Structures are given as C-alpha cells and as structure tokens.
Amino acid sequence: MILVYMHKLIQIGTFIFCLFILANPAQAQLKNNASIELSPEYPQPGEEVTASLNDFRSSTNNSNLTWTLNGETVPSAVNSRSVLFTAGADGVTDVLSIIIDSPLGRSETINRNVNPVYVDVIIEPQTHVPNFYQGRSLPSIGSIVNATAVVSGHNPSDLVYKWQVGSEVLAGGAVRGINQVSFTTPMGFNYVLNLQVSSATGGIISKRSVFLPSVYPRLFFYEKHTLSGIRPIAIDREFTLIENSTSIIASPYYLDSRTFNDPDISEWEIDNNLVNSGNNPYEATIRRNSERGRSSLKFHVRDTTQVLQGVSESISINF
C-alpha cells in the first residue's frame, strides 16, 4: 500500500514539473549546450579564424546576435551566426563573445577565450642526398623520420605530447616532455603526422597535422674529375668517354641513411659482369677499350630486409 502511494506521489510531482516547464518556456532554455566553435580550432598568432555559434535552438533564429572581440562590437557580424577575425599576438588571450537577445526579452552571453600559440613541427627525413643537392631530402617507405615540436612560450619538459602517424600512436600514448620522436615511414604515397600538445594539467594547448610525402629512392650517375671533383650534372642515359679513363659516381636520392652507409647489396656491373668498385662502393673507374664500342654500366644498392629501400639504374658508355 505504501509503495502504491509513493508511486502516485512521483507521478504527481513529474506532472507538476512538466506544467512548470510548459508555462515558462524561457526557463526551459536557460540550460543549453550553446558554444562558440573555432576553425581552425587552435589558431596560431596572426592566423585568420572563423568563429561560429553552435546552438540548435529554433528560438535563436529570431534573436538579435551581437559579436564582440575584447569588448568591442564587430559591426560586420551583426545578426550573423559566424564571424571572421584575426588571432592576436603569441601568448595574448582574446575574449570573443556573442550576445543573444531573444524576442522574449531574455539576454544571454556566450564567451570563448582564444589563446593563439605558435607551434611548429620540424621534419627531418633521415635519407641520403648528395652534398651539392640544393633541395630537401624526402622520406621513402621504410626510412626513418625525426620530428621535433617547437611550442612558443613554453618549456618543452612542462608539456605533454601525443604523436600519431596514421592510426599508430607513438611512444605508447601521450608522454610528458617528449617533443622529439622518430618513426618509420609507412606504406603509401603520403601520410599524416598528428600532434596534440597539452599542459601538465590536461588542457589542450594546440593540435597540428603535417601531411608528408612518401617517395621511392632514385639513382643518378655523375662524372668525377680528379681536380675539380664531382660534376653536379647528372648523366642522361649515355656517356661518351673522351679521356683514357674517368670515375663515375652513383648517387642514390632518398635512400635511408642506414642503407646508404651500410648496404647489404652494392654492385657495379659492366655488360652484366660484376666489377670491383674499390674502397668507395658508390664509385667505379671506367677505362677506354682499344676498340670503339658501347658498354652498359649498372649499379644496384639495396637493403635485403627492407626491399623497398633500394634502387637500381644503368647508363650506356660510348668509347
């Protein structure tokens, strides 16, 4: 009997609460999840940012909307659900607000602090390129890449870093003070390196995504003179030997430095016959034959445990 009585009391209480909500629609909207969203979510200093009101209440459509930045009204965004502005200086907090004045006379202000932080991710592929090459080295499948995060105004040891390559989270998860990581270039023509930087208390400071290419190693041949050194113009398919002898350098591009320094295979062939390269596995000496003719010169370098870390190429030698 007591249980039945208590059940009726709960039903009556619920009915009265619903009547109160229906009779006071303004009160029903006091608690909502309205917020200001930023794009990009974590801007850098001086970056152009779009802020949008995230609020699905239909009553907002009939409200007057006023955006303010650091207390000053943004005239171009009156009654607009979004506003475009420029993030401030590094380490300076901007206060972005939107004031919602409903037709019922209710006013609501939503604030969002914008803390622009400069975050740079330095990428250093550990692949080989010749000294005279003026471009940047690129990662190749299976090669090592070093990445370093630089966050302005913060001691690296005070921050928590979460590194991720594709779906793989590096270092086992978010780790404090680890602003440098090394990883192996995955399969595919490109991939994404994601970085999330947080404070020691867990608040996210910034997020960055870096799109990286993945290339295959390439091989070019260069002539080397005794006095002037390497001629930095690649031999194009054919080479005419004018002197009695010359040295040819095989220069791999984008080959993992470990493979370049200690290859499992490094072979020179002349007309399909292996020749001894001497002390430098990437240099071969070509000598003139007594008769005129043509020979094929080939070089092959490879890591047998990571077969994609290798390259083979050939040129014709005219005597």
Side-chain angles (χ1 to χ4, degrees), residues 213-255:
S214 180
V215 301
Y216 289 106
R218 302 185 65 186
L219 180 67
F220 295 94
F221 296 96
Y222 299 89
E223 185 181 10
K224 179 182 177 182
H225 294 276
T226 304
L227 298 178
S228 59
I230 299 176
R231 184 170 181 259
I233 300 178
I235 298 173
D236 185 18
R237 298 184 178 273
E238 293 188 358
F239 175 76
T240 300
L241 181 60
I242 300 176
E243 303 174 352
N244 291 328
S245 66
T246 190
S247 293
I248 300 295
I249 298 294
S251 185
Y253 283 68
Y254 318 132
L255 187 70

mmCIF file of all heavy atoms in Angstrom, residues 213-255:
data_model
loop_
_atom_site.group_PDB
_atom_site.id
_atom_site.type_symbol
_atom_site.label_atom_id
_atom_site.label_comp_id
_atom_site.label_asym_id
_atom_site.label_seq_id
_atom_site.Cartn_x
_atom_site.Cartn_y
_atom_site.Cartn_z
ATOM 1 N N PRO A 213 54.971 13.445 -47.769
ATOM 2 C CA PRO A 213 55.006 12.554 -48.939
ATOM 3 C C PRO A 213 55.831 11.318 -48.628
ATOM 4 O O PRO A 213 56.603 11.275 -47.670
ATOM 5 C CB PRO A 213 55.701 13.430 -49.988
ATOM 6 C CG PRO A 213 56.640 14.280 -49.178
ATOM 7 C CD PRO A 213 55.930 14.550 -47.871
ATOM 8 N N SER A 214 55.649 10.316 -49.439
ATOM 9 C CA SER A 214 56.472 9.113 -49.363
ATOM 10 C C SER A 214 56.900 8.778 -50.782
ATOM 11 O O SER A 214 56.058 8.527 -51.637
ATOM 12 C CB SER A 214 55.698 7.952 -48.737
ATOM 13 O OG SER A 214 56.495 6.794 -48.673
ATOM 14 N N VAL A 215 58.209 8.790 -51.031
ATOM 15 C CA VAL A 215 58.723 8.608 -52.388
ATOM 16 C C VAL A 215 59.552 7.330 -52.468
ATOM 17 O O VAL A 215 59.915 6.734 -51.449
ATOM 18 C CB VAL A 215 59.571 9.819 -52.815
ATOM 19 C CG1 VAL A 215 58.751 11.103 -52.767
ATOM 20 C CG2 VAL A 215 60.813 9.961 -51.922
ATOM 21 N N TYR A 216 59.841 6.933 -53.684
ATOM 22 C CA TYR A 216 60.763 5.811 -53.897
ATOM 23 C C TYR A 216 62.178 6.366 -54.095
ATOM 24 O O TYR A 216 62.363 7.438 -54.686
ATOM 25 C CB TYR A 216 60.359 5.011 -55.125
ATOM 26 C CG TYR A 216 59.095 4.201 -54.947
ATOM 27 C CD1 TYR A 216 57.906 4.609 -55.543
ATOM 28 C CD2 TYR A 216 59.094 3.042 -54.178
ATOM 29 C CE1 TYR A 216 56.739 3.872 -55.381
ATOM 30 C CE2 TYR A 216 57.927 2.290 -54.006
ATOM 31 C CZ TYR A 216 56.765 2.723 -54.616
ATOM 32 O OH TYR A 216 55.608 1.996 -54.444
ATOM 33 N N PRO A 217 63.194 5.656 -53.628
ATOM 34 C CA PRO A 217 64.572 6.098 -53.881
ATOM 35 C C PRO A 217 64.852 6.182 -55.382
ATOM 36 O O PRO A 217 64.307 5.401 -56.176
ATOM 37 C CB PRO A 217 65.425 5.009 -53.213
ATOM 38 C CG PRO A 217 64.535 4.412 -52.172
ATOM 39 C CD PRO A 217 63.155 4.453 -52.762
ATOM 40 N N ARG A 218 65.715 7.115 -55.750
ATOM 41 C CA ARG A 218 66.109 7.281 -57.148
ATOM 42 C C ARG A 218 67.634 7.282 -57.231
ATOM 43 O O ARG A 218 68.324 7.552 -56.253
ATOM 44 C CB ARG A 218 65.538 8.592 -57.720
ATOM 45 C CG ARG A 218 64.027 8.687 -57.637
ATOM 46 C CD ARG A 218 63.526 9.935 -58.327
ATOM 47 N NE ARG A 218 63.799 9.906 -59.762
ATOM 48 C CZ ARG A 218 63.564 10.926 -60.585
ATOM 49 N NH1 ARG A 218 63.068 12.048 -60.123
ATOM 50 N NH2 ARG A 218 63.825 10.832 -61.873
ATOM 51 N N LEU A 219 68.148 6.977 -58.413
ATOM 52 C CA LEU A 219 69.594 6.870 -58.596
ATOM 53 C C LEU A 219 70.022 7.639 -59.835
ATOM 54 O O LEU A 219 69.426 7.485 -60.908
ATOM 55 C CB LEU A 219 69.994 5.390 -58.725
ATOM 56 C CG LEU A 219 71.481 5.113 -58.925
ATOM 57 C CD1 LEU A 219 72.254 5.490 -57.671
ATOM 58 C CD2 LEU A 219 71.709 3.637 -59.262
ATOM 59 N N PHE A 220 71.073 8.468 -59.672
ATOM 60 C CA PHE A 220 71.650 9.223 -60.785
ATOM 61 C C PHE A 220 73.160 9.012 -60.802
ATOM 62 O O PHE A 220 73.790 8.804 -59.749
ATOM 63 C CB PHE A 220 71.320 10.711 -60.665
ATOM 64 C CG PHE A 220 69.852 11.021 -60.797
ATOM 65 C CD1 PHE A 220 69.047 11.129 -59.671
ATOM 66 C CD2 PHE A 220 69.273 11.187 -62.045
ATOM 67 C CE1 PHE A 220 67.707 11.405 -59.783
ATOM 68 C CE2 PHE A 220 67.918 11.467 -62.170
ATOM 69 C CZ PHE A 220 67.130 11.576 -61.039
ATOM 70 N N PHE A 221 73.731 9.107 -62.011
ATOM 71 C CA PHE A 221 75.176 8.955 -62.184
ATOM 72 C C PHE A 221 75.806 10.311 -62.471
ATOM 73 O O PHE A 221 75.236 11.140 -63.199
ATOM 74 C CB PHE A 221 75.478 7.989 -63.338
ATOM 75 C CG PHE A 221 75.007 6.587 -63.086
ATOM 76 C CD1 PHE A 221 73.780 6.150 -63.582
ATOM 77 C CD2 PHE A 221 75.787 5.695 -62.371
ATOM 78 C CE1 PHE A 221 73.340 4.857 -63.357
ATOM 79 C CE2 PHE A 221 75.358 4.400 -62.134
ATOM 80 C CZ PHE A 221 74.136 3.980 -62.633
ATOM 81 N N TYR A 222 77.006 10.512 -61.923
ATOM 82 C CA TYR A 222 77.741 11.756 -62.117
ATOM 83 C C TYR A 222 79.199 11.433 -62.433
ATOM 84 O O TYR A 222 79.754 10.439 -61.938
ATOM 85 C CB TYR A 222 77.685 12.631 -60.864
ATOM 86 C CG TYR A 222 76.292 13.061 -60.468
ATOM 87 C CD1 TYR A 222 75.529 12.267 -59.608
ATOM 88 C CD2 TYR A 222 75.740 14.237 -60.958
ATOM 89 C CE1 TYR A 222 74.239 12.648 -59.236
ATOM 90 C CE2 TYR A 222 74.463 14.628 -60.590
ATOM 91 C CZ TYR A 222 73.717 13.823 -59.738
ATOM 92 O OH TYR A 222 72.446 14.198 -59.372
ATOM 93 N N GLU A 223 79.809 12.291 -63.260
ATOM 94 C CA GLU A 223 81.220 12.137 -63.566
ATOM 95 C C GLU A 223 82.052 12.840 -62.504
ATOM 96 O O GLU A 223 81.713 13.942 -62.064
ATOM 97 C CB GLU A 223 81.538 12.713 -64.944
ATOM 98 C CG GLU A 223 82.971 12.485 -65.382
ATOM 99 C CD GLU A 223 83.286 13.094 -66.740
ATOM 100 O OE1 GLU A 223 82.432 13.866 -67.244
ATOM 101 O OE2 GLU A 223 84.359 12.810 -67.279
ATOM 102 N N LYS A 224 83.158 12.183 -62.116
ATOM 103 C CA LYS A 224 84.048 12.748 -61.102
ATOM 104 C C LYS A 224 85.426 12.987 -61.701
ATOM 105 O O LYS A 224 86.055 12.065 -62.229
ATOM 106 C CB LYS A 224 84.165 11.801 -59.904
ATOM 107 C CG LYS A 224 85.089 12.313 -58.809
ATOM 108 C CD LYS A 224 85.212 11.318 -57.672
ATOM 109 C CE LYS A 224 86.197 11.800 -56.615
ATOM 110 N NZ LYS A 224 86.350 10.807 -55.521
ATOM 111 N N HIS A 225 85.893 14.251 -61.606
ATOM 112 C CA HIS A 225 87.219 14.613 -62.087
ATOM 113 C C HIS A 225 88.206 14.630 -60.935
ATOM 114 O O HIS A 225 87.850 14.963 -59.793
ATOM 115 C CB HIS A 225 87.193 15.983 -62.772
ATOM 116 C CG HIS A 225 86.376 16.009 -64.036
ATOM 117 N ND1 HIS A 225 86.880 15.623 -65.255
ATOM 118 C CD2 HIS A 225 85.078 16.360 -64.254
ATOM 119 C CE1 HIS A 225 85.941 15.748 -66.173
ATOM 120 N NE2 HIS A 225 84.843 16.197 -65.589
ATOM 121 N N THR A 226 89.444 14.307 -61.244
ATOM 122 C CA THR A 226 90.474 14.245 -60.208
ATOM 123 C C THR A 226 90.701 15.594 -59.562
ATOM 124 O O THR A 226 90.851 15.701 -58.333
ATOM 125 C CB THR A 226 91.798 13.731 -60.806
ATOM 126 O OG1 THR A 226 91.574 12.465 -61.429
ATOM 127 C CG2 THR A 226 92.859 13.581 -59.725
ATOM 128 N N LEU A 227 90.700 16.673 -60.351
ATOM 129 C CA LEU A 227 90.999 18.006 -59.831
ATOM 130 C C LEU A 227 89.742 18.764 -59.374
ATOM 131 O O LEU A 227 89.721 19.364 -58.303
ATOM 132 C CB LEU A 227 91.745 18.824 -60.886
ATOM 133 C CG LEU A 227 93.111 18.276 -61.318
ATOM 134 C CD1 LEU A 227 93.725 19.146 -62.405
ATOM 135 C CD2 LEU A 227 94.052 18.204 -60.110
ATOM 136 N N SER A 228 88.704 18.734 -60.167
ATOM 137 C CA SER A 228 87.514 19.552 -59.880
ATOM 138 C C SER A 228 86.438 18.828 -59.082
ATOM 139 O O SER A 228 85.477 19.444 -58.628
ATOM 140 C CB SER A 228 86.910 20.068 -61.193
ATOM 141 O OG SER A 228 86.545 18.981 -62.030
ATOM 142 N N GLY A 229 86.575 17.525 -58.902
ATOM 143 C CA GLY A 229 85.587 16.789 -58.123
ATOM 144 C C GLY A 229 84.383 16.382 -58.954
ATOM 145 O O GLY A 229 84.457 16.246 -60.175
ATOM 146 N N ILE A 230 83.241 16.227 -58.290
ATOM 147 C CA ILE A 230 82.033 15.741 -58.959
ATOM 148 C C ILE A 230 81.403 16.857 -59.789
ATOM 149 O O ILE A 230 81.198 17.970 -59.299
ATOM 150 C CB ILE A 230 81.019 15.208 -57.936
ATOM 151 C CG1 ILE A 230 81.612 14.037 -57.155
ATOM 152 C CG2 ILE A 230 79.722 14.783 -58.623
ATOM 153 C CD1 ILE A 230 80.704 13.521 -56.056
ATOM 154 N N ARG A 231 81.096 16.551 -61.032
ATOM 155 C CA ARG A 231 80.371 17.482 -61.894
ATOM 156 C C ARG A 231 78.879 17.333 -61.574
ATOM 157 O O ARG A 231 78.288 16.297 -61.863
ATOM 158 C CB ARG A 231 80.644 17.176 -63.360
ATOM 159 C CG ARG A 231 80.004 18.152 -64.335
ATOM 160 C CD ARG A 231 80.538 17.885 -65.744
ATOM 161 N NE ARG A 231 79.971 18.818 -66.699
ATOM 162 C CZ ARG A 231 78.978 18.535 -67.522
ATOM 163 N NH1 ARG A 231 78.431 17.318 -67.506
ATOM 164 N NH2 ARG A 231 78.529 19.430 -68.380
ATOM 165 N N PRO A 232 78.253 18.387 -60.991
ATOM 166 C CA PRO A 232 76.884 18.239 -60.465
ATOM 167 C C PRO A 232 75.788 18.278 -61.519
ATOM 168 O O PRO A 232 74.743 18.892 -61.334
ATOM 169 C CB PRO A 232 76.764 19.422 -59.503
ATOM 170 C CG PRO A 232 77.643 20.466 -60.090
ATOM 171 C CD PRO A 232 78.801 19.725 -60.717
ATOM 172 N N ILE A 233 76.034 17.627 -62.649
ATOM 173 C CA ILE A 233 75.024 17.487 -63.696
ATOM 174 C C ILE A 233 74.899 16.011 -63.996
ATOM 175 O O ILE A 233 75.865 15.358 -64.399
ATOM 176 C CB ILE A 233 75.402 18.270 -64.963
ATOM 177 C CG1 ILE A 233 75.535 19.772 -64.648
ATOM 178 C CG2 ILE A 233 74.358 18.047 -66.060
ATOM 179 C CD1 ILE A 233 75.962 20.611 -65.822
ATOM 180 N N ALA A 234 73.718 15.469 -63.780
ATOM 181 C CA ALA A 234 73.519 14.031 -63.922
ATOM 182 C C ALA A 234 73.729 13.594 -65.367
ATOM 183 O O ALA A 234 73.387 14.315 -66.314
ATOM 184 C CB ALA A 234 72.129 13.646 -63.448
ATOM 185 N N ILE A 235 74.307 12.409 -65.536
ATOM 186 C CA ILE A 235 74.488 11.814 -66.850
ATOM 187 C C ILE A 235 73.135 11.330 -67.351
ATOM 188 O O ILE A 235 72.428 10.588 -66.659
ATOM 189 C CB ILE A 235 75.487 10.643 -66.784
ATOM 190 C CG1 ILE A 235 76.855 11.155 -66.341
ATOM 191 C CG2 ILE A 235 75.589 9.941 -68.132
ATOM 192 C CD1 ILE A 235 77.866 10.044 -66.072
ATOM 193 N N ASP A 236 72.784 11.739 -68.572
ATOM 194 C CA ASP A 236 71.469 11.425 -69.122
ATOM 195 C C ASP A 236 71.554 10.213 -70.053
ATOM 196 O O ASP A 236 71.825 10.347 -71.244
ATOM 197 C CB ASP A 236 70.912 12.640 -69.866
ATOM 198 C CG ASP A 236 69.500 12.416 -70.369
ATOM 199 O OD1 ASP A 236 68.840 11.475 -69.865
ATOM 200 O OD2 ASP A 236 69.066 13.155 -71.265
ATOM 201 N N ARG A 237 71.374 9.022 -69.500
ATOM 202 C CA ARG A 237 71.285 7.764 -70.244
ATOM 203 C C ARG A 237 72.597 7.352 -70.914
ATOM 204 O O ARG A 237 72.993 6.190 -70.859
ATOM 205 C CB ARG A 237 70.162 7.815 -71.283
ATOM 206 C CG ARG A 237 68.779 8.002 -70.675
ATOM 207 C CD ARG A 237 67.700 7.948 -71.743
ATOM 208 N NE ARG A 237 66.381 8.090 -71.145
ATOM 209 C CZ ARG A 237 65.665 7.085 -70.664
ATOM 210 N NH1 ARG A 237 66.155 5.855 -70.732
ATOM 211 N NH2 ARG A 237 64.477 7.279 -70.133
ATOM 212 N N GLU A 238 73.269 8.274 -71.590
ATOM 213 C CA GLU A 238 74.503 7.912 -72.293
ATOM 214 C C GLU A 238 75.644 8.819 -71.869
ATOM 215 O O GLU A 238 75.449 9.996 -71.572
ATOM 216 C CB GLU A 238 74.317 7.998 -73.812
ATOM 217 C CG GLU A 238 73.361 6.963 -74.378
ATOM 218 C CD GLU A 238 73.364 6.967 -75.893
ATOM 219 O OE1 GLU A 238 74.092 7.799 -76.492
ATOM 220 O OE2 GLU A 238 72.657 6.151 -76.487
ATOM 221 N N PHE A 239 76.862 8.214 -71.859
ATOM 222 C CA PHE A 239 78.056 8.976 -71.504
ATOM 223 C C PHE A 239 79.157 8.602 -72.487
ATOM 224 O O PHE A 239 79.421 7.417 -72.741
ATOM 225 C CB PHE A 239 78.497 8.651 -70.077
ATOM 226 C CG PHE A 239 79.791 9.296 -69.676
ATOM 227 C CD1 PHE A 239 79.839 10.647 -69.354
ATOM 228 C CD2 PHE A 239 80.968 8.556 -69.656
ATOM 229 C CE1 PHE A 239 81.046 11.249 -69.002
ATOM 230 C CE2 PHE A 239 82.170 9.150 -69.301
ATOM 231 C CZ PHE A 239 82.203 10.490 -68.973
ATOM 232 N N THR A 240 79.793 9.612 -73.061
ATOM 233 C CA THR A 240 80.882 9.393 -74.006
ATOM 234 C C THR A 240 82.207 9.612 -73.299
ATOM 235 O O THR A 240 82.457 10.703 -72.767
ATOM 236 C CB THR A 240 80.769 10.331 -75.216
ATOM 237 O OG1 THR A 240 79.521 10.082 -75.881
ATOM 238 C CG2 THR A 240 81.915 10.098 -76.187
ATOM 239 N N LEU A 241 83.038 8.566 -73.279
ATOM 240 C CA LEU A 241 84.338 8.645 -72.619
ATOM 241 C C LEU A 241 85.345 9.238 -73.594
ATOM 242 O O LEU A 241 85.713 8.610 -74.594
ATOM 243 C CB LEU A 241 84.787 7.252 -72.159
ATOM 244 C CG LEU A 241 86.122 7.185 -71.431
ATOM 245 C CD1 LEU A 241 86.096 8.029 -70.166
ATOM 246 C CD2 LEU A 241 86.481 5.738 -71.107
ATOM 247 N N ILE A 242 85.816 10.446 -73.303
ATOM 248 C CA ILE A 242 86.771 11.138 -74.167
ATOM 249 C C ILE A 242 88.205 10.844 -73.742
ATOM 250 O O ILE A 242 89.083 10.606 -74.571
ATOM 251 C CB ILE A 242 86.495 12.654 -74.147
ATOM 252 C CG1 ILE A 242 85.073 12.925 -74.660
ATOM 253 C CG2 ILE A 242 87.514 13.403 -74.988
ATOM 254 C CD1 ILE A 242 84.669 14.378 -74.578
ATOM 255 N N GLU A 243 88.449 10.846 -72.446
ATOM 256 C CA GLU A 243 89.793 10.578 -71.929
ATOM 257 C C GLU A 243 90.018 9.067 -71.845
ATOM 258 O O GLU A 243 89.147 8.271 -72.170
ATOM 259 C CB GLU A 243 89.955 11.236 -70.557
ATOM 260 C CG GLU A 243 89.710 12.739 -70.581
ATOM 261 C CD GLU A 243 89.724 13.348 -69.185
ATOM 262 O OE1 GLU A 243 89.772 12.568 -68.206
ATOM 263 O OE2 GLU A 243 89.677 14.573 -69.084
ATOM 264 N N ASN A 244 91.218 8.691 -71.405
ATOM 265 C CA ASN A 244 91.525 7.266 -71.296
ATOM 266 C C ASN A 244 90.738 6.594 -70.177
ATOM 267 O O ASN A 244 90.429 5.400 -70.257
ATOM 268 C CB ASN A 244 93.026 7.060 -71.067
ATOM 269 C CG ASN A 244 93.838 7.427 -72.302
ATOM 270 O OD1 ASN A 244 93.359 7.259 -73.430
ATOM 271 N ND2 ASN A 244 95.040 7.932 -72.102
ATOM 272 N N SER A 245 90.416 7.361 -69.132
ATOM 273 C CA SER A 245 89.642 6.798 -68.026
ATOM 274 C C SER A 245 88.941 7.916 -67.268
ATOM 275 O O SER A 245 89.325 9.096 -67.380
ATOM 276 C CB SER A 245 90.547 6.004 -67.074
ATOM 277 O OG SER A 245 91.457 6.862 -66.423
ATOM 278 N N THR A 246 87.955 7.557 -66.518
ATOM 279 C CA THR A 246 87.243 8.522 -65.668
ATOM 280 C C THR A 246 86.549 7.745 -64.550
ATOM 281 O O THR A 246 86.444 6.517 -64.599
ATOM 282 C CB THR A 246 86.215 9.334 -66.469
ATOM 283 O OG1 THR A 246 85.727 10.405 -65.659
ATOM 284 C CG2 THR A 246 85.027 8.461 -66.872
ATOM 285 N N SER A 247 86.092 8.490 -63.564
ATOM 286 C CA SER A 247 85.356 7.898 -62.450
ATOM 287 C C SER A 247 83.885 8.281 -62.541
ATOM 288 O O SER A 247 83.553 9.435 -62.848
ATOM 289 C CB SER A 247 85.931 8.362 -61.108
ATOM 290 O OG SER A 247 87.242 7.854 -60.919
ATOM 291 N N ILE A 248 83.021 7.320 -62.286
ATOM 292 C CA ILE A 248 81.578 7.544 -62.289
ATOM 293 C C ILE A 248 81.063 7.334 -60.868
ATOM 294 O O ILE A 248 81.378 6.322 -60.226
ATOM 295 C CB ILE A 248 80.851 6.594 -63.256
ATOM 296 C CG1 ILE A 248 81.366 6.794 -64.688
ATOM 297 C CG2 ILE A 248 79.336 6.821 -63.196
ATOM 298 C CD1 ILE A 248 81.066 8.149 -65.277
ATOM 299 N N ILE A 249 80.273 8.299 -60.395
ATOM 300 C CA ILE A 249 79.677 8.224 -59.062
ATOM 301 C C ILE A 249 78.194 7.859 -59.198
ATOM 302 O O ILE A 249 77.457 8.480 -59.976
ATOM 303 C CB ILE A 249 79.810 9.565 -58.308
ATOM 304 C CG1 ILE A 249 81.281 9.919 -58.098
ATOM 305 C CG2 ILE A 249 79.076 9.511 -56.967
ATOM 306 C CD1 ILE A 249 82.016 8.977 -57.184
ATOM 307 N N ALA A 250 77.778 6.849 -58.465
ATOM 308 C CA ALA A 250 76.353 6.509 -58.366
ATOM 309 C C ALA A 250 75.804 7.157 -57.105
ATOM 310 O O ALA A 250 76.276 6.878 -55.998
ATOM 311 C CB ALA A 250 76.162 5.005 -58.317
ATOM 312 N N SER A 251 74.836 8.042 -57.273
ATOM 313 C CA SER A 251 74.318 8.796 -56.124
ATOM 314 C C SER A 251 72.836 8.505 -55.908
ATOM 315 O O SER A 251 71.988 8.967 -56.678
ATOM 316 C CB SER A 251 74.527 10.301 -56.333
ATOM 317 O OG SER A 251 74.141 11.017 -55.194
ATOM 318 N N PRO A 252 72.496 7.735 -54.864
ATOM 319 C CA PRO A 252 71.080 7.488 -54.567
ATOM 320 C C PRO A 252 70.449 8.714 -53.880
ATOM 321 O O PRO A 252 71.070 9.348 -53.025
ATOM 322 C CB PRO A 252 71.108 6.297 -53.605
ATOM 323 C CG PRO A 252 72.527 5.827 -53.557
ATOM 324 C CD PRO A 252 73.374 6.982 -53.968
ATOM 325 N N TYR A 253 69.241 9.003 -54.241
ATOM 326 C CA TYR A 253 68.452 10.046 -53.597
ATOM 327 C C TYR A 253 67.352 9.376 -52.760
ATOM 328 O O TYR A 253 66.719 8.421 -53.223
ATOM 329 C CB TYR A 253 67.800 10.966 -54.621
ATOM 330 C CG TYR A 253 68.729 11.976 -55.254
ATOM 331 C CD1 TYR A 253 69.745 11.578 -56.111
ATOM 332 C CD2 TYR A 253 68.583 13.343 -55.012
ATOM 333 C CE1 TYR A 253 70.586 12.496 -56.712
ATOM 334 C CE2 TYR A 253 69.425 14.282 -55.607
ATOM 335 C CZ TYR A 253 70.423 13.846 -56.453
ATOM 336 O OH TYR A 253 71.251 14.768 -57.048
ATOM 337 N N TYR A 254 67.148 9.890 -51.545
ATOM 338 C CA TYR A 254 66.047 9.485 -50.666
ATOM 339 C C TYR A 254 66.185 8.038 -50.172
ATOM 340 O O TYR A 254 65.203 7.432 -49.752
ATOM 341 C CB TYR A 254 64.692 9.687 -51.348
ATOM 342 C CG TYR A 254 64.584 10.970 -52.120
ATOM 343 C CD1 TYR A 254 64.085 11.002 -53.423
ATOM 344 C CD2 TYR A 254 65.030 12.180 -51.561
ATOM 345 C CE1 TYR A 254 63.999 12.184 -54.136
ATOM 346 C CE2 TYR A 254 64.950 13.367 -52.270
ATOM 347 C CZ TYR A 254 64.436 13.362 -53.563
ATOM 348 O OH TYR A 254 64.364 14.525 -54.277
ATOM 349 N N LEU A 255 67.386 7.494 -50.225
ATOM 350 C CA LEU A 255 67.653 6.178 -49.655
ATOM 351 C C LEU A 255 67.928 6.349 -48.170
ATOM 352 O O LEU A 255 68.661 7.258 -47.770
ATOM 353 C CB LEU A 255 68.856 5.543 -50.349
ATOM 354 C CG LEU A 255 69.188 4.095 -50.000
ATOM 355 C CD1 LEU A 255 68.114 3.160 -50.558
ATOM 356 C CD2 LEU A 255 70.562 3.707 -50.560
#
